[in-house]
């Protein structure tokens, strides 16, 4: 049940606290790259994901109104206003629906009815598949918790973020939310909800963007169809992906670059067998391998978006050139970025 606009607006403890503590907070959350285990993670197998140093920024400000106001120019929303307690999502671009739904879920969960303005700004394009929806969802919820002085653990933030993503999109394992919240590089399993940070150094990854925007729910449905048709085969593929994740976890902590590269290549072959690679992704993957990358695979849902290559310093330049020569765009990123946090004294807007 949502909080209706006619609700008795006698201030809640949180709202009084917000007036005393903060009028405006700014939060940032990182994007992510899936390293191993995409798709299988939907079927309760583990995966490994890293947070990247391209961030989503959110500013939340209290207002003396009964409205939630959104400004999200990166997703084409100059200004959107919603009476608190209403659900007027239609016509809102998908990117802004995560923000509007996050505010509603937070207000409902904590019984809040104060006016607020939320501004979002992304350092990365939502086209890349770096998880702009999960980063914005997490950052908005964290911003509201800071604004209203609600103490919220990472686990509670994850649960509210996960509910929001499921409300908007219907599908998703939540691995991207874990990366946005905890940061670093994470071993993640949704069914049994294991989220374990891995103590590792930055990875020598080259990222190549295909120039094609992939639609995650469509690719998840494609794999669901495959699973329906070839259940036994699909489960065995997911089990092999799960073994790869376990071995990659060891290889990452032992810094065994050669093993990691081989595991990436095997993971790519299995993703191809599920039907989620594409000509463009395969071309970038092979170009990177031929240029000396230790291993290469698609990252995320497939169908487009990005591929990743493990490239040691001596091969990095050639790998980048080879990716660009066949039409890919090299994105400069660093792995293991900090999770969601409040930005002190920042001046993004
Ligand atoms: C998409 O980046 C990764 C998938 O496994 C979907 C998910 O886990 O939510 C395909």
């Amino acid at each position: 049940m949502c909080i209706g606009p006619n609700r008795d607006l006698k201030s809640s403890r949180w709202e009084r606290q917000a007036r005393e503590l903060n009028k405006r907070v700014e939060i940032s959350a990182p994007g992510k790259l899936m390293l191993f285990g995409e798709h299988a993670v939907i079927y309760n197998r583990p995966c490994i994901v890293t947070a990247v140093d391209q961030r989503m920024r959110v500013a939340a400000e209290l207002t003396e109104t009964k409205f939630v106001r959104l400004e999200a120019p990166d997703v084409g929303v100059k200004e959107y206003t919603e009476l608190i307690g209403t659900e007027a999502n239609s016509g809102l671009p998908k990117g802004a629906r995560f923000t509007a739904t996050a505010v509603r879920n937070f207000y409902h969960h904590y019984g809040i009815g104060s006016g607020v303005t939320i501004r979002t700004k992304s350092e990365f394009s939502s086209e890349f598949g770096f998880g702009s929806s999960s980063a914005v969802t997490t950052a908005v919820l964290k911003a509201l918790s800071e604004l209203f002085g609600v103490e919220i653990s990472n686990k509670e933030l994850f649960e509210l973020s996960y509910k929001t993503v499921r409300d908007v999109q219907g599908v998703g394992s939540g691995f991207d939310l874990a990366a946005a919240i905890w940061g670093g590089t994470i071993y993640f399993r949704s069914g049994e909800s294991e989220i374990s940070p891995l103590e590792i150094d930055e990875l020598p990854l080259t990222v190549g963007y295909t120039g094609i925007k992939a639609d995650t729910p469509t690719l998840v449905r494609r794999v669901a169809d495959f699973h329906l048709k070839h259940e036994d085969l699909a489960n065995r593929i997911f089990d092999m992906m799960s073994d790869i994740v376990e071995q990659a976890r060891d290889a990452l902590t032992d810094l065994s670059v050669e093993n990691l590269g081989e595991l990436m290549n095997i993971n790519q072959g299995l993703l191809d067998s599920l039907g989620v690679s594409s000509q463009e992704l395969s071309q970038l993957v092979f170009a990177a391998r031929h240029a000396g990358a230790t291993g290469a695979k698609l990252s995320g849902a497939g169908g487009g978006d990005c591929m990743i290559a493990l490239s040691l310093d001596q091969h990095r330049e050639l790998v980048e050139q080879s990716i660009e020569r066949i039409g890919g765009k090299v994105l400069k990123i660093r792995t293991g970025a900090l999770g969601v946090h409040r930005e002190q004294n920042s001046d993004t807007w």
Side-chain angles (χ1 to χ4, degrees), residues 129-200:
F130 281 178
S132 54
S133 310
S134 46
V136 82
T137 300
T138 298
V140 166
L141 290 168
K142 178 77 172 174
L144 294 172
S145 74
E146 293 277 332
L147 192 65
F148 293 104
V150 178
E151 278 197 26
I152 186 167
S153 67
N154 278 357
K155 185 105 197 327
E156 287 163 335
L157 182 57
F158 177 81
E159 274 157 18
L160 213 45
S161 301
Y162 192 46
K163 173 176 168 33
T164 301
V165 169
R166 299 289 295 213
D167 286 350
V168 177
Q169 184 167 274
V171 294
S173 63
F175 79 100
D176 40 4
L177 297 165
I181 294 170
W182 275 268
T185 300
I186 293 172
Y187 173 95
F188 175 91
R189 185 196 288 267
S190 62
E192 292 159 27
S193 288
E194 180 179 350
I195 299 174
S196 309
L198 304 179
E199 299 297 326
I200 58 160

Side-chain angles (χ1 to χ4, degrees), residues 45-46 236-250 263 270:
R45 271 62 166 199
R236 280 191 276 159
I237 292 171
F238 297 148
D239 284 341
M240 278 194 276
M241 288 177 166
S242 175
D243 289 346
I244 288 171
V245 168
E246 298 304 335
Q247 291 186 35
R249 183 184 192 161
D250 293 340
L263 292 168
L270 294 173

Side-chain angles (χ1 to χ4, degrees), residues 32 34 37-42 129 171-176 216 220 299-301:
K32 56 78 194 165
M34 178 68 102
E38 46 274 90
H39 287 288
V41 67
I42 298 267
V171 294
S173 63
F175 79 100
D176 40 4
T216 299
V220 169
S299 169

Side-chain angles (χ1 to χ4, degrees), residues 4 36 52 204 221 243-244 277 302 325:
F36 294 97
V52 297
R221 275 196 299 276
D243 289 346
I244 288 171
S277 193
R325 199 175 305 121

